[in-house]
């Protein structure tokens, strides 16, 4: 489980009272911004109308299809489109430019606001400098602007500044400050901070107490889509005693969410849960599919487990060569299961060669 989740920049501009000039960013620090070409991408036209309708149709040569819709064919009027709700908020041009990859434009728009004390703009300037997006990377300047954003109350700035404090120094003072900022950011709703503060609580109080203290933060982060938090919630729900039944019943649901998000460890565990009947009924075929997905993604433990499923025909047909292939791949990655070793040595020379050939083809992508 990764200790630090990725921070997400959220546009939430608000002006502070004092101006912060900060270290200067000059034209000499940046590369000339390339103008992004405007590409007119036209969608493919799917023409699914019947041949009879096509005969009588008169449509522009270069225009879109005017074929009948499903509702037209049923003799029903098309429903009116719902009225579009007007956007009442303030448009943040700096963040818009950042999201489109126009990093120099974003810097030009955000820096004056950052110098006037806008915490959201300060976070954006810090992010550009921290990652070296269109400008020379400067972590010292990034640290300065993250600190200003944190002091100004921006949750993302607090989270990022806390991360940099943890990376920069192991001093008790910096660690205490980082933990305080992480909690404040988490309490203000930053999903990544919620996950990481939960990790802090678990590290500070190993055992059930730390897990119980951390669970509300894991849950809030999971609800916002952080896969690491979804995985953590699933594990706590299934392992921590005396939790309400409505929580324990959702353990597999949270693991499924993390697996669908591409978290390979969640895919591995979900496959094992389904095969073993953990937190729900057994489902060998679906369990096999999740383990196969994790194995295909390079998870070494899943590769070893999928070999076992091929041997014992669990969720799939028996296939000694496929089992041998996955054993070879796992062993090459440093994981050797003695039971699989015995199985492999019991294969014929022809089957062993076929397994090695299949493993080589898999590694090469052919």
């Amino acid at each position: 489980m990764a200790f630090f989740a990725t921070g997400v920049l959220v546009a939430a501009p608000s002006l502070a009272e004092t101006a912060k000039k900060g270290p200067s960013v000059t034209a000499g620090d940046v590369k000339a911004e390339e103008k992004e070409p405007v590409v007119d991408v036209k969608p493919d036209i799917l023409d699914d109308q019947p041949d009879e309708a096509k005969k009588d149709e008169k449509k522009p040569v270069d225009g879109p299809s005017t074929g009948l819709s499903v509702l037209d064919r049923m003799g029903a009027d098309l429903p009116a489109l719902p009225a579009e709700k007007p956007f009442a908020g303030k448009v943040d041009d700096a963040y818009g430019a950042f999201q489109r990859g126009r990093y120099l434009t974003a810097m030009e728009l955000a820096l004056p606001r950052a110098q006037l004390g806008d915490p959201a703009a300060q976070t954006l300037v810090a992010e550009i400098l921290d990652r070296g997006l269109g400008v020379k990377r400067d972590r010292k300047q990034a640290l300065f602007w993250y600190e200003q954003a944190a002091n100004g109350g921006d949750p993302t700035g607090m989270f990022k500044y806390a991360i940099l404090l943890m990376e920069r120094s192991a001093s008790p003072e910096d660690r205490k400050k980082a933990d305080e900022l992480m909690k404040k950011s988490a309490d203000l709703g930053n999903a990544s901070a919620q996950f990481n503060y939960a990790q802090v609580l678990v590290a500070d109080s190993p055992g059930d107490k730390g897990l119980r203290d951390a669970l509300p933060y894991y849950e809030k982060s999971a609800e916002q889509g952080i896969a690491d938090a979804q995985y953590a919630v699933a594990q706590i729900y299934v392992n921590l005693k005396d939790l309400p039944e409505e929580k324990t019943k959702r353990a597999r649901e949270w693991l499924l969410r993390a697996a669908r998000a591409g978290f390979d460890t969640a895919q591995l565990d979900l496959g094992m849960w389904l095969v073993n009947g953990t937190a729900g009924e057994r489902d060998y075929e679906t369990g096999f599919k999740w383990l196969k997905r994790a194995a295909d993604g390079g998870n070494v433990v899943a590769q070893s487990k999928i070999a076992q499923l091929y041997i014992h025909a669990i969720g799939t047909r028996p296939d000694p060569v496929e089992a041998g292939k996955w054993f070879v791949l796992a062993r090459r990655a440093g994981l050797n299961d003695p039971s699989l070793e015995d199985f492999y040595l019991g294969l014929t020379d022809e089957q062993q060669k076929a397994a090695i050939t299949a493993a080589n083809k898999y590694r090469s992508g052919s």
Side-chain angles (χ1 to χ4, degrees):
M1 189 188 310
F3 188 83
F4 297 118
T6 303
V8 180
L9 288 173
V10 180
S14 61
L15 294 177
E17 295 179 359
T18 58
K20 300 288 184 181
K21 294 296 182 182
S24 62
V25 179
T26 63
D29 294 330
V30 303
K31 301 176 183 178
E33 183 177 20
E34 296 181 1
K35 293 183 178 179
E36 294 88 348
V38 177
V39 181
D40 185 16
V41 180
K42 296 181 179 179
D44 293 333
I45 298 171
L46 300 180
D47 187 0
D48 60 352
Q49 60 182 313
D51 292 339
E52 293 79 2
K54 292 179 181 178
K55 292 179 183 178
D56 299 328
E57 178 191 1
K58 295 181 181 180
K59 63 179 181 180
V61 176
D62 297 324
S65 168
T66 56
L68 297 176
S69 71
V70 174
L71 288 176
D72 283 331
R73 293 170 191 158
M74 293 172 62
D77 293 332
L78 288 172
L81 290 173
E84 196 170 312
K85 294 181 179 180
F87 177 69
K90 182 180 179 181
V91 176
D92 194 319
D93 294 332
Y95 273 88
F98 180 87
Q99 291 168 347
R100 293 192 300 273
R102 298 179 180 270
Y103 302 121
L104 286 183
T105 300
M107 176 65 88
E108 290 172 359
L109 292 171
L111 186 57
R113 287 169 43 196
Q115 292 172 333
L116 290 173
D118 182 334
Q122 290 167 344
T123 296
L124 182 55
V125 169
E127 183 76 7
I128 293 171
L129 290 167
D130 189 28
R131 296 166 58 187
L133 299 174
V135 302
K136 183 179 178 181
R137 189 182 188 196
D138 191 328
R139 303 210 82 185
K140 184 177 180 180
Q141 286 194 44
L143 186 68
F144 169 84
W145 285 114
Y146 278 136
E147 182 178 13
Q148 304 312 309
N151 292 339
D154 182 63
T156 302
M158 294 176 191
F159 167 69
K160 290 284 192 173
Y161 185 48
I163 295 296
L164 289 184
L165 282 177
M166 291 179 179
E167 292 178 353
R168 184 189 70 172
S169 172
S171 71
E173 294 79 12
D174 279 352
R175 178 56 192 264
K176 181 181 179 182
K177 185 175 182 179
D179 288 351
E180 290 172 353
L181 285 170
M182 194 70 74
K183 182 181 187 304
K184 190 172 181 180
S185 177
D187 290 338
L188 287 171
N190 183 282
S192 297
Q194 289 164 346
F195 170 75
N196 283 283
Y197 186 63
Q199 295 285 78
V200 168
L201 292 172
V202 171
D204 289 346
S205 301
D208 284 2
K209 182 183 183 305
L211 291 175
R212 292 185 190 279
D213 291 343
L215 183 56
Y217 287 99
Y218 279 134
E219 289 172 328
K220 291 174 184 177
S221 180
E223 291 285 359
Q224 296 196 67
I226 301 297
D228 296 68
Q230 293 167 346
Y231 177 81
V233 168
Q235 295 296 335
I236 294 174
Y237 278 3
V238 82
N239 288 299
L240 199 59
K241 297 179 181 179
D242 302 324
L243 286 177
E245 187 179 358
E246 60 267 20
K247 289 183 182 288
T248 58
K249 283 183 176 180
R250 297 189 66 195
R252 192 179 281 187
E253 173 194 334
W254 282 116
L255 192 59
L256 177 61
R257 290 190 185 189
R260 285 177 173 169
F263 191 7
D264 68 319
T265 304
Q267 294 167 355
L268 164 68
D269 282 11
L270 180 59
M272 296 302 298
W273 283 20
L274 289 163
V275 169
N276 294 329
T278 303
E281 296 180 356
R282 294 178 188 268
D283 187 338
Y284 295 125
E285 291 186 3
T286 305
F288 172 84
K289 290 176 181 178
W290 279 111
L291 282 167
K292 181 69 162 50
R293 183 170 173 179
D296 284 335
N299 187 291
V300 179
V301 176
Q303 291 172 348
S304 181
K305 297 297 183 184
I306 207 76
Q308 295 280 6
L309 298 188
Y310 274 117
I311 293 171
H312 300 291
I314 298 175
T316 187
R317 293 182 179 181
D319 191 329
V321 173
E322 272 294 295
K325 178 190 86 172
W326 289 110
F327 162 70
V328 169
L329 289 167
R331 185 177 62 179
R332 286 175 179 175
L335 179 61
N336 191 18
D337 184 329
S339 65
L340 289 177
E341 180 84 29
D342 290 342
F343 161 79
Y344 182 77
L345 294 175
L347 296 176
T348 65
D349 289 344
E350 184 178 346
Q351 287 174 324
Q352 288 183 11
K353 290 178 182 178
I356 292 173
T357 299
N360 291 338
K361 287 184 177 180
Y362 177 84
R363 289 289 297 273
S364 65
S366 58

